Amino acid sequence: MQVRLRLAAISFAILLLLPSLDQVVGLSAWFRSTENRRLRRMPLLHFPYVRQFVIRFDQYYKENFGGRNALFYVYSRWKYKILGQSPLPEKVVVGKNGWFYLGNSYNQVVDQHRGLVPLSDSSAALITDHLIGRQQELARQGIKLYVLIAPDSQTIYPEYLPDHLQQSKELSRLDVLKRAMAKTNLPFIDIRDTLLAAKRTHRVYYQTDTHWNEYGTLVGCAALLNRIRQDRPTIPPVYVMNYTIQQRSGMSGDLTHMLTLQDNVNEKVAYAIRPSSKLASRQIAVIPREKAVFPARRFAGSGFDRLLFIGDSFSNSMMRYLPAYFRESYFIRDGKLDAEAVRSERPTILVLEIVERNINQLATF
């Protein structure tokens, strides 16, 4: 009996010490964190602010204790493979037939599509007035403004959402904003119908990622260019025959990485797209931006206009297709108008791209 008690006590002590030992020795170093955020760093102790140090250390330790990544690795597989549920439902929603969607922690995107966070007419008017002000400001400098909305995957593939998270039948936030923008002359490019039509023959969004895939990107670029051509006929039309499109299997996306499922779930359908030689463009500069995570990128193409493109992560793949249609392109990852870039780049066309779930941020562009 005493032997059993001693073994139990030793085992319990080992379990208590394992996290600290792992943090020092790195026993579970193979398990990398895949969280899409920066973890807290070890705080510094400054006397006499001991209480603040204790609070910050508690927050730090909860995110960095030894074995945390290994435990989540096991927990994630148990939740997904055994129970068929998301281990982080607020970050990632597990849908049907291998589809994953962004969770509610990202600007309440789930509630947005369920109609629980509507956009009021007054908010839409505020956004519209702000964009019109920007349009007029840029027009005085000889710059044409276009606003492009990249739809959420929930909008294009609602059929794979869980039954309890189905889309609202009421007007969406984007519908409300589009109705307000229709009363203006600002080019507001809504490509939902274009992508819904394209998905009949090709997959246009990744199953395991928040973004459109290469084919969806090409469709979005073509829709944008076709709208710009109405004002700039010198821009050549977009023909599918100018691209070599090959279907292939793909890698795992950002959503499954968040769940540490990247080794178990991959894209079944992806595309490799290569433009013809006459649509070739080249990156000529990568420019670091002060206080910005991502650098700006400059491209040279064969068109006539100068493009300044301000967008979010959806713009990354667009850099592979748009620059060929402009003499020079300058891409910035940002959500605000960069006045210095406008002055230095002297564009003739400025495109603002933003994903559907973040259209409220247009009020501060």
Side-chain angles (χ1 to χ4, degrees):
M1 187 69 175
Q2 289 183 348
V3 174
R4 290 182 180 177
L5 287 174
R6 287 177 182 176
L7 286 175
I10 292 172
S11 300
F12 183 68
I14 291 174
L15 287 174
L16 288 177
L17 292 172
L18 264 179
S20 298
L21 182 63
D22 181 76
Q23 201 160 11
V24 175
V25 181
L27 298 174
S28 61
W30 182 80
F31 298 94
R32 302 287 184 182
S33 173
T34 57
E35 293 188 69
N36 191 23
R37 65 186 179 96
R38 290 182 179 179
L39 299 181
R40 298 177 189 273
R41 294 183 178 181
M42 177 68 173
L44 297 176
L45 175 59
H46 298 287
F47 288 103
Y49 307 107
V50 178
R51 180 177 174 79
Q52 287 85 341
F53 170 79
V54 171
I55 294 173
R56 291 173 184 171
F57 181 83
D58 179 66
Q59 295 169 340
Y60 157 79
Y61 193 76
K62 286 178 180 177
E63 296 183 355
N64 295 276
F65 68 84
R68 179 179 185 270
N69 294 335
L71 288 172
F72 181 73
Y73 183 88
V74 175
Y75 171 73
S76 180
R77 276 149 184 74
W78 174 71
K79 286 284 285 187
Y80 178 69
K81 291 188 173 183
I82 305 301
L83 302 181
Q85 300 174 2
S86 172
L88 297 173
E90 283 298 305
K91 289 188 175 182
V92 180
V93 173
V94 173
K96 304 173 185 176
N97 297 349
W99 279 83
F100 296 79
Y101 298 88
L102 203 59
N104 223 19
S105 62
Y106 296 87
N107 209 16
Q108 296 181 278
V109 61
V110 174
D111 288 347
Q112 284 189 33
H113 286 277
R114 294 177 66 199
L116 303 178
V117 190
L119 185 71
S120 65
D121 289 331
S122 59
S123 294
L126 182 67
I127 293 172
T128 301
D129 290 344
H130 181 72
L131 289 176
I132 291 300
R134 288 300 196 192
Q135 179 192 34
Q136 294 170 349
E137 174 187 338
L138 292 168
R140 287 192 290 270
Q141 302 173 64
I143 303 168
K144 182 77 173 180
L145 174 64
Y146 298 83
V147 177
L148 171 69
I149 308 299
D152 294 323
S153 57
Q154 286 95 332
T155 297
I156 306 302
Y157 288 96
E159 63 270 29
Y160 299 117
L161 283 165
D163 291 335
H164 66 286
L165 296 180
Q166 289 299 307
Q167 301 266 75
S168 169
K169 302 300 182 183
E170 302 298 322
L171 287 179
S172 70
R173 291 162 59 89
L174 181 52
D175 289 329
V176 174
L177 180 58
K178 183 178 180 181
R179 183 175 61 189
M181 294 298 302
K183 302 173 184 177
T184 75
N185 64 351
L186 173 60
F188 186 80
I189 305 166
D190 172 18
I191 58 176
R192 288 175 294 179
D193 290 343
T194 305
L195 286 165
L196 288 169
K199 86 170 194 178
R200 297 172 191 159
T201 57
H202 294 78
R203 184 167 293 168
V204 293
Y205 274 65
Y206 290 113
Q207 285 184 266
T208 65
D209 200 282
T210 56
H211 303 92
W212 47 26
N213 61 18
E214 288 298 314
Y215 193 85
T217 302
L218 185 58
V219 170
C221 289
L224 171 63
L225 288 166
N226 286 336
R227 176 57 188 87
I228 296 176
R229 284 191 73 243
Q230 296 178 24
D231 306 313
R232 295 286 202 280
T234 54
I235 293 178
V238 181
Y239 295 115
V240 176
M241 66 183 70
N242 290 330
Y243 297 87
T244 301
I245 302 173
Q246 295 179 325
Q247 184 174 318
R248 63 180 185 182
S249 58
M251 307 279 291
S252 187
D254 58 4
L255 295 175
T256 43
H257 269 76
M258 291 184 202
L259 305 181
T260 71
L261 296 173
Q262 65 272 16
D263 297 328
N264 302 87
V265 183
N266 291 319
E267 290 289 332
K268 297 180 178 63
V269 177
Y271 300 94
I273 301 180
R274 188 176 68 255
S276 65
S277 57
K278 64 181 180 180
L279 289 177
S281 62
R282 57 191 176 89
Q283 181 174 286
I284 57 177
V286 178
I287 303 97
R289 300 178 63 231
E290 187 178 358
K291 299 181 180 180
V293 176
F294 301 98
R297 298 180 183 273
R298 180 177 287 115
F299 297 84
S302 56
F304 296 96
D305 283 287
R306 296 170 62 93
L307 169 68
L308 174 58
F309 195 107
I310 300 176
D312 53 30
S313 56
F314 274 74
S315 67
N316 287 349
S317 54
M318 301 181 79
M319 298 182 200
R320 290 191 274 277
Y321 308 113
L322 285 180
Y325 294 85
F326 300 90
R327 178 160 61 92
E328 195 169 283
S329 305
Y330 193 75
F331 283 78
I332 297 175
R333 281 281 300 274
D334 207 338
K336 296 186 182 297
L337 182 64
D338 189 327
E340 178 57 34
V342 172
R343 284 192 293 269
S344 61
E345 295 302 315
R346 303 189 306 280
T348 53
I349 293 172
L350 192 152
V351 173
L352 169 62
E353 174 273 319
I354 194 165
V355 68
E356 179 183 355
R357 58 184 169 271
N358 291 334
I359 57 174
N360 59 294
Q361 296 176 11
L362 289 171
T364 57
F365 166 66

